[in-house]
């Protein structure tokens, strides 16, 4: 069938089942609920061959400052026809002048480079069933589940770490995830979220001022889910990959974090994004 007979349309709820089938064919772990979460947060695009979903892309905006493109999938039988480029063009148009980031697979890297994305660092994916007795690197004192009144501080800490506003995402996580906070005296020094994803659950985002704090938050969340299949995606420069492997979460692939329209924005405080939620959320 010619490319002209393939329609590019806005992603709507009735496309979820087709998108799920597409991601399963690609070997991705996302469940229908994961797709629905993305649709609630994003502008999505679908390529249709008749009524069949043969391509997808999601653009998740973070206020007017930044955005993330994810779930760029083209059916194996439809590759080589420029569908990936059409999906990316639509997502980038929706992105506008925002700084844009994504995590690239090896297959997608050449296209993203042609579109002006530049590699930033490697993302390591770790996953597995947690074993008993994970040793926390520091005493667990000061880490507890977040309270409703902590949200404003969590959002402020997240913005301090990343340099842009993710309150829409954090509001969604406040309703769907468990969030732990690390308190030092009367202040919140870090936080981490735990939510259902794929084959089990995923930890992220994790924001902390030091690697030791990040390990403590991760340990708290891991110990809350012993025996559960768990995934954590982490930037290689954060240095957490060997520690996660030692905890029983094996290195299981990953990708390359890329940026476009980079604002040369550095974190505006001491906090750093030590662990990412998933390739879908960033």
């Amino acid at each position: 069938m010619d490319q002209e007979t393939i329609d590019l349309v806005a992603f709507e709820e009735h496309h979820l089942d087709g998108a799920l089938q597409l991601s399963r064919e690609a070997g991705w772990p996302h469940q229908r609920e994961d797709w629905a979460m993305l649709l609630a947060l994003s502008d999505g695009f679908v390529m249709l061959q008749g009524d069949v979903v043969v391509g997808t892309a999601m653009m998740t905006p973070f206020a007017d400052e930044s955005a993330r493109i994810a779930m760029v999938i083209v059916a194996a039988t439809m590759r080589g026809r420029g569908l990936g480029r059409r999906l990316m063009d639509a997502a980038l148009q929706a992105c506008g002048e925002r700084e844009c980031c994504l995590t690239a697979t090896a297959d997608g890297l050449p296209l993203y480079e042609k579109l002006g994305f530049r590699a930033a660092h490697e993302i390591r994916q770790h996953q597995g069933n947690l074993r008993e007795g994970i040793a926390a690197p520091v005493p667990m004192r000061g880490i507890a589940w977040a309270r409703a009144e902590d949200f404003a501080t969590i959002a402020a800490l997240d913005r301090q770490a990343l340099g842009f506003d993710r309150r829409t995402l954090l509001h969604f996580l406040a309703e769907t995830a468990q969030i732990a906070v690390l308190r030092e005296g009367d202040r919140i020094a870090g936080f981490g979220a735990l939510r259902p994803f794929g084959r089990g659950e995923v930890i992220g985002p994790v924001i902390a001022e030091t690697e030791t704090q990040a390990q403590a938050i991760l340990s708290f969340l891991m110990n809350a889910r012993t025996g559960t299949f768990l995934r954590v995606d982490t930037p290689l420069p954060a240095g957490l990959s060997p520690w996660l492997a030692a905890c029983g979460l094996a290195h299981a692939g990953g990708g390359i974090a890329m940026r476009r329209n980079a604002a040369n924005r550095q974190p505006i405080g001491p906090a750093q994004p030590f662990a990412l939620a998933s390739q879908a959320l960033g």
Side-chain angles (χ1 to χ4, degrees):
M1 186 172 287
D2 295 335
Q3 180 173 316
E4 286 73 20
T5 66
I6 300 173
D7 297 317
L8 175 64
V9 301
F11 197 131
E12 298 181 1
E13 186 175 1
H14 64 270
H15 296 128
L16 284 172
D17 290 336
L20 176 61
Q21 181 64 28
L22 193 64
S23 60
R24 285 177 173 172
E25 290 173 357
W28 293 15
H30 299 71
Q31 303 297 319
R32 195 179 193 276
E33 293 79 7
D34 303 317
W35 276 102
M37 177 179 179
L38 276 170
L39 182 58
L41 294 168
S42 309
D43 293 332
F45 303 91
V46 172
M47 303 296 298
L48 293 176
Q49 186 181 44
D51 294 328
V52 178
V53 175
V54 296
T56 60
M58 292 287 196
M59 190 285 294
T60 308
F62 301 118
D64 294 327
E65 303 159 292
S66 185
R68 183 167 187 83
I69 293 177
M71 306 306 288
V72 181
I73 311 175
V74 174
T77 58
M78 305 300 293
R79 292 173 189 169
R81 305 188 184 195
L83 303 192
R85 178 62 183 259
R86 291 175 64 189
L87 286 162
M88 283 299 300
D89 285 346
L92 289 173
Q93 183 175 359
C95 185
E97 297 302 314
R98 296 179 180 91
E99 179 184 62
C100 187
C101 62
L102 54 78
T103 300
T105 63
D107 289 341
L109 193 64
L111 171 61
Y112 302 141
E113 289 177 335
K114 289 178 182 178
L115 292 171
F117 286 87
R118 297 294 177 261
H121 53 259
E122 181 182 348
I123 298 291
R124 288 279 181 93
Q125 180 187 128
H126 287 263
Q127 62 185 32
N129 289 294
L130 294 176
R131 65 173 185 262
E132 296 282 351
I134 297 172
V138 296
M140 304 300 285
R141 183 177 61 251
I143 304 180
W145 297 114
R147 303 185 294 259
E149 59 266 29
D150 295 330
F151 179 83
T153 303
I154 289 170
L157 184 62
D158 189 77
R159 182 177 178 86
Q160 181 186 35
L162 301 183
F164 54 88
D165 188 346
R166 296 199 300 179
R167 276 179 295 177
T168 301
L169 168 62
L170 294 172
H171 273 297
F172 197 97
L173 291 177
E175 298 295 327
T176 60
Q178 291 182 281
I179 299 177
V181 295
L182 170 63
R183 300 182 193 275
E184 293 188 346
D186 59 356
R187 73 184 187 96
I188 293 176
F191 73 92
L194 174 73
R195 65 179 178 87
F197 174 80
R199 295 169 59 188
E201 296 185 86
V202 64
I203 292 178
V206 173
I207 300 293
E209 296 173 354
T210 69
E211 183 177 337
T212 299
Q213 289 177 341
Q215 289 176 349
I217 294 168
L218 284 161
S219 293
F220 178 88
L221 295 171
M222 290 175 181
N223 281 311
R225 288 296 186 272
T226 300
T228 298
F229 186 88
L230 191 65
R231 171 174 163 174
V232 181
D233 292 5
T234 184
L236 186 61
L240 290 172
S241 184
W243 180 82
L244 288 166
C247 288
L249 299 181
H251 177 211
I256 302 298
M258 306 188 78
R259 300 169 69 190
R260 183 178 186 267
N261 290 344
N264 295 318
R265 176 175 50 245
Q266 298 298 320
I268 55 179
Q272 299 290 328
F274 277 101
L276 303 180
S278 70
Q279 292 183 15
L281 287 180

